[in-house]
Amino acid sequence: SQQGEEDPQALSIQEGENATMNCSYKTSINNLQWYRQNSGRGLVHLILIRSNEREKHSGRLRVTLDTSKKSSSLLITASRAADTASYFCATLKETSGSRLTFGEGTQLTVNP
Amino acid sequence: KAGVTQTPRYLIKTRGQQVTLSCSPISGHRSVSWYQQTPGQGLQFLFEYFSETQRNKGNFPGRFSGRQFSNSRSEMNVSTLELGDSALYLCASSSGGGSYNEQFFGPGTRLTVL
């Protein structure tokens, strides 16, 4: 079963705009990871944020984590048509080895 | 470093058959996890192997099994295939521990059961 929920389920924006996706989860975590998936292909690892971190940046990506609210957000700035994809958050619990629990994903469409 | 590789990329089988999928992790990684992705259920964890031992198992029937070899390569087997087994099967490679435990995924095997 999915641990978390992602919001919104679908997002459509214009090139150059920012896109924000949110993820909520239910249990204590070790880290939270964001992935991108293009149309039925494999998952591309975007960024990992540990439970004791509040914010991380990688290029045009900014991730925040609020463990008190059990939520995370992914911000993509200055979006491009190539950013069109599904985005998933995945949580790793402290006692689960490498087992990830995924959210349902956000389908992002960036219109040229 | 080479990424995670999965073979085959596509498979078509009929009900009742069995299938074996293969995953080669990133060099040096000792953990391989398997996931099933379907439109209805999303990404579901199947099992994880670490140093040739199953470390975690998801809620799938016994028809789904796996193993890991001494070189960390892993295979998963599905016996007595059902229509509902049609899915994208993804494997993930990681070092296996700690709060920096990143999982890197392969391109997946698309299984179609007719």
Side-chain angles (χ1 to χ4, degrees), chain B residues 6-60:
Chain B
Q6 291 188 246
T7 57
R9 294 291 310 277
Y10 301 92
L11 268 177
I12 300 177
K13 293 286 187 179
T14 56
R15 280 181 299 176
Q17 289 187 309
Q18 75 166 22
V19 66
T20 299
L21 313 181
S22 180
C23 173
S24 292
I26 292 169
S27 178
H29 282 185
R30 296 163 63 190
S31 169
V32 174
S33 300
W34 289 88
Y35 295 82
Q36 180 196 66
Q37 185 178 29
T38 60
Q41 297 298 315
L43 282 149
Q44 302 276 332
F45 173 80
L46 282 155
F47 30 66
E48 178 202 359
Y49 286 86
F50 181 80
S51 294
E52 302 180 65
T53 301
Q54 189 180 82
R55 184 160 74 167
N56 280 291
K57 188 177 189 307
N59 295 322
F60 278 81

Side-chain angles (χ1 to χ4, degrees), chain A residues 59-72:
Chain A
R60 294 184 295 113
L61 306 180
R62 171 178 170 254
V63 169
T64 62
L65 179 65
D66 187 336
T67 53
S68 66
K69 295 181 179 178
K70 292 187 170 57
S71 67
S72 175

Side-chain angles (χ1 to χ4, degrees), chain A residues 1-2 30-31 33 35 37 39-45 47-51 53 56 88 92 95-103, chain B residues 31 33 35 37 41-45 48 55-59 88 90 94 96-108 110:
Chain A
S1 62
Q2 303 295 319
N30 196 333
N31 67 46
Q33 302 177 52
Y35 291 87
Q37 185 178 41
S39 193
R41 296 187 178 182
L43 297 169
V44 174
H45 189 273
I47 198 165
L48 177 152
I49 186 165
R50 292 185 298 160
S51 61
E53 296 176 316
K56 283 191 81 169
F88 294 90
L92 184 72
T95 57
S96 65
S98 296
R99 175 177 183 164
L100 291 173
T101 303
F102 282 87
Chain B
S31 169
S33 300
Y35 295 82
Q37 185 178 29
Q41 297 298 315
L43 282 149
Q44 302 276 332
F45 173 80
E48 178 202 359
R55 184 160 74 167
N56 280 291
K57 188 177 189 307
N59 295 322
L88 180 66
L90 296 161
S94 75
S99 57
Y100 284 108
N101 191 358
E102 296 175 295
Q103 281 83 50
F104 298 94
F105 283 79
R110 172 73 61 184

